[in-house]
Amino acid sequence: MSTGESRTPARLYVVWLLIVASLVSWRQGVFYDGGADLVVIAKAACQMTALYLAVRALLRSPVRQPMGGAVLLLIGAIIAISCVGALAAGDTGASWVLSVRVVLLTLTTAALIRTYPADLVIRALLTIMGGIGLLSATSGIGEWAAGGRLAGVVPPLSPNAIAMLCALPALACLHSILLGRMRLRTTVAFALLTLILLATGSRTALAATLVASLMVFLHMRRLKVSVAVWLITLAPVLFAVLMFSNVVQDLAIRQDGASISTLNSRTIAWSAVLNTPGDTWQWWIGAGLAVKTVAVKGQYWEEQVLDSSWISMLAQSGALGASLLVLLCLLVVLRSLGARDLRSLTTPILVFVLARSVLENGLIGDNVMFVVFLTVALAVERPPAARYGLGTHEDSQLAAHSEPAASGRLGPWAETDMSYREKAPR
């Protein structure tokens, strides 16, 4: 007998809520540069509480899920290099605090992966992300209606942050729909999250979502008749929106005056980092995780934000850290492609994360996108039996050959091809 689906423990949602709440912005346009105030203390309290709950759940769990160590080893090495770089640059305060936060996030996520089946951990994280994204977007509807991009008020998230929080749950909804599980709430959630994504005007998130959606299609072996009808009905609607509305024009030339040419300002910062002399410690080991901006010359402004995870990593952990990050990404992608039970969702998630990392920060650091990347990385590093919470050889064979038939759910957002099964009675 199979359960078909399973309940996600409430503790898992609570831990992810505390983690995501501690990572989203509470103050707009502020970078941590050391010290402590009420906001910093409150975020630290959320993170420590989440770690406590995750470790307590692990200690009380009768079964410990197996987990590989390669991902943790590479992330630890990157963080260690950045700490040495901060020491060499004489900026140990903020960088070391951020490094400790990343370590705590890693330990919390690892504890959850060790305690619960991977599909439960992923679905809970996406649910919390979607919930906070919807909350922030709803609070900013009034200002958005007056003109401009959709930004949040509670919490005060930027349009790009809201787009990041809503894009992955929307992707999970699409994944569920293409599997033929078109419940009303899944379809409504997909439409709502997609509208929010468009309202934010985030071109990077939208482009990454489109590429990731293509990956979802490529993983589909067959489509049900109902899904085919849904797609045929949707096609003319999308055509009409693209051809007879200003959506494309508004994205190309946004109301805030920022056009596609804003990439030029990004490349100015990139050039400043890439031109770091190769015979300096800063080139090889960076200057710590607190590096968020770089000084630029020949412009009417003096500093430019590093809007790229890869350029940021080069500035924070140097060439050595960036090389380890490349190795880590290759390892995770390859393992995701080999995870037959998870790859139809984890691979599109990785595509989104990596595509977004080219023009936005977040691949390594104290942010939500790092937690997503880390969760998927640890999930696909486990054997199929462990991802499902199964223990015997027969159960492992069942999980390895049941991708089309699985029926787990991603909270209120979507269902996936993953499930948490009980062994059939003998």
Side-chain angles (χ1 to χ4, degrees):
M1 184 178 72
S2 173
T3 62
E5 59 185 61
S6 63
R7 287 180 174 272
T8 302
R11 182 187 297 266
L12 194 51
Y13 287 115
V14 172
V15 172
W16 281 135
L17 178 60
L18 290 169
I19 287 294
V20 177
S22 72
L23 295 177
V24 298
S25 176
W26 291 17
R27 295 174 293 194
Q28 194 62 260
V30 176
F31 295 120
Y32 179 73
D33 57 359
D37 55 22
L38 289 179
V39 172
V40 174
I41 294 173
K43 285 192 170 187
C46 289
Q47 198 163 357
M48 293 303 298
T49 303
L51 177 60
Y52 167 76
L53 293 176
V55 172
R56 184 177 180 182
L58 175 62
L59 295 177
R60 300 175 108 187
S61 176
V63 178
R64 304 290 172 81
Q65 309 289 344
M67 183 179 69
V71 171
L72 297 180
L73 179 62
L74 288 172
I75 291 178
I78 292 172
I79 300 305
I81 291 173
S82 71
C83 288
V84 176
L87 180 62
D91 182 23
T92 58
S95 291
W96 284 19
V97 170
L98 293 176
S99 297
V100 170
R101 290 194 66 187
V102 173
V103 171
L104 294 179
L105 288 173
T106 303
L107 293 177
T108 305
T109 305
L112 295 178
I113 290 292
R114 285 277 285 159
T115 306
Y116 304 105
D119 58 314
L120 300 185
V121 179
I122 294 174
R123 77 176 69 162
L125 174 57
L126 294 182
T127 300
I128 295 301
M129 287 174 58
I132 293 181
L134 280 175
L135 173 63
S136 183
T138 302
S139 68
I141 288 180
E143 296 185 9
W144 170 73
R149 302 170 63 188
L150 178 61
V153 178
V154 182
L157 302 183
S158 66
N160 288 344
I162 294 177
M164 181 268 297
L165 289 174
C166 294
L168 287 175
L171 190 68
C173 289
L174 176 64
H175 176 265
S176 174
I177 291 171
L178 293 181
L179 284 175
R181 305 185 184 104
M182 292 187 295
R183 294 187 177 184
L184 178 61
R185 64 177 181 179
T186 304
T187 305
V188 171
F190 173 71
L192 182 59
L193 293 168
T194 302
L195 289 175
I196 291 175
L197 179 59
L198 291 173
T200 62
S202 177
R203 296 182 292 243
T204 302
L206 182 59
T209 303
L210 291 175
V211 177
S213 299
L214 178 60
M215 291 299 300
V216 175
F217 276 95
L218 292 177
H219 276 90
M220 295 297 108
R221 297 181 179 180
R222 63 180 68 89
L223 293 177
K224 293 184 177 180
V225 175
S226 58
V227 177
V229 172
W230 183 83
L231 291 174
I232 293 173
T233 304
L234 184 63
V237 176
L238 292 176
F239 179 79
V241 170
L242 294 176
M243 296 300 296
F244 303 108
S245 72
N246 296 326
V247 172
V248 177
Q249 180 179 349
D250 291 343
L251 287 173
I253 305 176
R254 296 196 297 240
Q255 297 180 19
D256 57 5
S259 65
I260 296 179
S261 61
T262 54
L263 180 61
N264 294 334
S265 61
R266 284 188 169 101
T267 57
I268 292 172
W270 299 355
S271 298
V273 175
L274 293 173
N275 289 331
T276 302
D279 57 351
T280 62
W281 280 109
Q282 188 173 352
W283 169 257
W284 290 103
I285 60 176
L289 292 181
V291 178
K292 305 295 184 181
T293 62
V294 62
V296 296
K297 297 180 180 180
Q299 306 297 328
Y300 63 86
W301 62 91
E302 297 181 353
E303 289 185 335
Q304 175 70 36
V305 176
L306 295 172
D307 288 325
S308 170
S309 296
W310 298 96
I311 298 300
S312 294
M313 183 52 51
L314 192 60
Q316 295 168 354
S317 295
L320 292 178
S323 299
L324 292 179
L325 181 58
V326 172
L327 178 61
L328 173 62
C329 291
L330 289 175
L331 175 67
V332 173
V333 170
L334 290 176
R335 287 188 170 174
S336 178
L337 291 173
R340 295 187 57 191
D341 52 334
L342 296 176
R343 63 187 178 190
S344 66
L345 182 61
T346 57
T347 302
I349 289 176
L350 289 174
V351 168
F352 176 89
V353 171
L354 295 178
R356 181 182 177 275
S357 69
V358 177
L359 295 178
E360 295 186 12
N361 289 312
L363 197 55
I364 297 291
D366 57 330
N367 52 73
V368 178
M369 196 50 58
F370 166 68
V371 172
V372 174
F373 176 68
L374 176 63
T375 302
V376 172
L378 294 176
V380 298
E381 196 177 20
R382 301 160 67 181
R387 299 188 200 110
Y388 282 125
L390 306 173
T392 66
H393 176 71
E394 291 181 359
D395 291 328
S396 178
Q397 294 292 321
L398 172 64
H401 294 87
S402 60
E403 179 177 355
S407 59
R409 292 186 300 173
L410 278 172
W413 310 117
E415 299 174 1
T416 72
D417 60 348
M418 303 175 289
S419 66
Y420 184 22
R421 296 181 177 79
E422 295 179 350
K423 294 189 293 184
R426 300 295 187 265

